[in-house]
Amino acid sequence: MPFVRIDLIHGKPAEYRRAIGDVVYDAMRQTINVPEGDRFQVITEHASADFIFDPAYLGIARTADCVFIQVTLNKGRTTELKKAFYQAIADGLHERIKIRREDVLINLIEVDKENWSFGNGVAQYA
Amino acid sequence: MPFVRIDLIHGKPAEYRRAIGDVVYDAMRQTINVPEGDRFQVITEHASADFIFDPAYLGIARTADCVFIQVTLNKGRTTELKKAFYQAIADGLHERIKIRREDVLINLIEVDKENWSFGNGVAQYA
Amino acid sequence: MPFVRIDLIHGKPAEYRRAIGDVVYDAMRQTINVPEGDRFQVITEHASADFIFDPAYLGIARTADCVFIQVTLNKGRTTELKKAFYQAIADGLHERIKIRREDVLINLIEVDKENWSFGNGVAQYA
């Protein structure tokens, strides 16, 4: 189970927010071997005072439409797979809802397979 | 210090949300050797558009009452202890507030002991 | 990129919340070698029922003004650097907005350098 936290500015329509979740899930399916149905995501909107990004770090021009995507997932994907995952998210968000690729920020937190329970109090992957 | 993030659907009473925190804390005390008083938790409610779960992944039937519990804690618990912790949470939530065991999702993020400050700018565990 | 989540009680003014972000960023710059402009932070306010802290754990007297600061960052800082970081945050929050040092809780989550994309779907640190 990747568990996904999506943080963005307040005020986008529900379909827009939902599309972000769709794109992240599709990118997982296509690039990092996530099984069908393995989709658990929470989205949080923030007032602009509470959503702070640098508009130029690393020479990338960001706007208030930037999106933070933090994914907790099992250890062990190669750097190549991670790169493909990032590109698929940035491309998908641009194609589907016109988010600028510069505005897509992604972070992965890797954990052991016994660190999950998907229900019933069982460690399904251990 | 385990630090606990609890995410759930919007609209449950405060006592219900608080009971989730109580159960997670009690499970920590009983199964994974967390000291008395080591309780730091934030609860976030989400509109249904922003709280996305698969209703069948791994053959487990989930409802909109599912709860995501993400726990950051020190490294080093055995898989057996983690399993006991998951079971204690699922059982406790079912017994205390009738959450279906299928609706309890748990994820652990493990960190080093010097990665905590509990106040005063000191790394109390280092 | 450290990515910072700040959780606190509901009802503080926007300038107060923003000052917390300022202090955390300044502490990063001064103590743990974070580059200029590397600032990405989300702040979430919680009702008191949803913001749970122990008022005495480890003998530290905490109040409802306590702040949880969770920082995801690259692996590899020494314990000495982490301690300096904690102290700089606690001191800065006290000096700038009078938060009691006892009320400052910090947790670090360390990840690999290929676990970040800052925009454009590229793993800039890999």
Side-chain angles (χ1 to χ4, degrees):
Chain A
M1 154 164 154
F3 175 59
V4 180
R5 294 189 183 277
I6 296 167
D7 293 83
L8 78 170
I9 198 76
H10 187 269
K12 302 292 179 187
E15 317 87 69
Y16 178 100
R17 303 197 308 269
R18 180 75 182 207
I20 299 173
D22 289 345
V23 165
V24 173
Y25 173 66
D26 290 349
M28 284 178 175
R29 293 278 296 139
Q30 289 159 18
T31 63
I32 56 167
N33 308 314
V34 165
E36 187 170 359
D38 188 352
R39 179 173 181 174
F40 301 93
Q41 305 172 325
V42 296
I43 302 172
T44 306
E45 298 181 280
H46 299 272
S48 66
D50 298 322
F51 185 72
I52 301 164
F53 61 93
D54 189 85
Y57 182 59
L58 296 180
I60 299 168
R62 296 179 195 84
T63 73
D65 287 341
C66 76
V67 180
F68 299 162
I69 299 165
Q70 190 169 44
V71 181
T72 307
L73 77 176
N74 279 330
K75 269 181 188 144
R77 268 86 178 185
T78 63
T79 298
E80 288 317 299
L81 286 186
K82 292 175 184 176
K83 288 178 177 178
F85 181 47
Y86 303 152
Q87 197 66 61
I89 294 175
D91 288 348
L93 290 176
H94 183 66
E95 288 158 19
R96 197 110 48 118
I97 48 175
K98 308 292 178 210
I99 294 180
R100 298 167 62 255
R101 288 181 177 84
E102 292 89 340
D103 283 335
V104 180
L105 291 103
I106 308 164
N107 167 232
L108 309 182
I109 298 173
E110 295 179 285
V111 302
D112 289 322
K113 64 187 190 318
E114 62 266 25
N115 284 16
W116 300 100
S117 177
F118 296 86
N120 290 320
V122 173
Q124 282 86 1
Y125 287 172
Chain B
M1 154 165 156
F3 175 60
V4 180
R5 293 189 183 278
I6 296 166
D7 293 85
L8 78 169
I9 198 77
H10 187 269
K12 301 292 181 186
E15 317 88 69
Y16 178 100
R17 304 197 307 270
R18 179 76 184 205
I20 298 173
D22 290 344
V23 165
V24 173
Y25 173 66
D26 290 349
M28 284 179 175
R29 294 276 297 139
Q30 289 158 18
T31 62
I32 57 167
N33 308 313
V34 165
E36 186 170 0
D38 188 350
R39 180 174 180 172
F40 301 93
Q41 305 172 326
V42 296
I43 302 172
T44 306
E45 298 181 281
H46 298 273
S48 66
D50 298 321
F51 185 72
I52 301 163
F53 61 93
D54 190 85
Y57 182 58
L58 296 179
I60 298 167
R62 297 179 195 85
T63 73
D65 287 341
C66 75
V67 180
F68 298 162
I69 299 164
Q70 191 169 42
V71 181
T72 307
L73 77 174
N74 279 329
K75 270 181 189 144
R77 268 85 178 185
T78 63
T79 299
E80 287 318 297
L81 285 186
K82 292 175 185 176
K83 287 179 178 179
F85 180 47
Y86 303 151
Q87 196 66 59
I89 294 174
D91 288 348
L93 290 176
H94 183 66
E95 288 158 18
R96 198 109 49 115
I97 49 175
K98 308 293 178 211
I99 293 180
R100 299 167 61 254
R101 288 180 176 86
E102 291 89 340
D103 283 334
V104 180
L105 290 103
I106 308 164
N107 167 231
L108 309 183
I109 298 173
E110 295 180 285
V111 303
D112 288 322
K113 65 187 191 318
E114 62 267 25
N115 284 17
W116 300 100
S117 177
F118 297 85
N120 290 320
V122 173
Q124 281 87 1
Y125 287 171
Chain C
M1 155 164 154
F3 175 60
V4 180
R5 293 189 182 279
I6 297 166
D7 293 84
L8 78 170
I9 198 79
H10 187 269
K12 301 293 180 186
E15 317 88 70
Y16 178 100
R17 303 197 308 269
R18 180 77 183 206
I20 298 174
D22 290 344
V23 165
V24 173
Y25 172 67
D26 290 349
M28 283 179 176
R29 294 277 296 139
Q30 290 158 17
T31 61
I32 57 168
N33 307 314
V34 165
E36 186 170 359
D38 187 352
R39 178 172 180 174
F40 300 93
Q41 305 173 326
V42 296
I43 302 172
T44 305
E45 299 181 280
H46 298 273
S48 66
D50 298 322
F51 185 72
I52 301 164
F53 61 93
D54 189 86
Y57 182 60
L58 296 180
I60 299 167
R62 296 179 196 83
T63 72
D65 287 340
C66 75
V67 179
F68 299 162
I69 299 164
Q70 190 168 42
V71 181
T72 308
L73 77 175
N74 278 329
K75 271 182 188 141
R77 268 86 178 185
T78 63
T79 298
E80 287 318 298
L81 286 186
K82 292 175 186 177
K83 288 179 177 177
F85 181 48
Y86 303 151
Q87 196 65 60
I89 294 175
D91 288 348
L93 290 176
H94 183 66
E95 287 158 19
R96 198 111 46 118
I97 49 174
K98 308 293 177 210
I99 294 180
R100 298 167 63 255
R101 288 181 178 85
E102 292 89 340
D103 283 335
V104 180
L105 291 103
I106 308 163
N107 167 232
L108 309 182
I109 298 173
E110 295 179 284
V111 303
D112 289 321
K113 66 186 188 319
E114 62 266 25
N115 284 16
W116 299 100
S117 176
F118 296 85
N120 291 319
V122 172
Q124 281 85 1
Y125 286 172

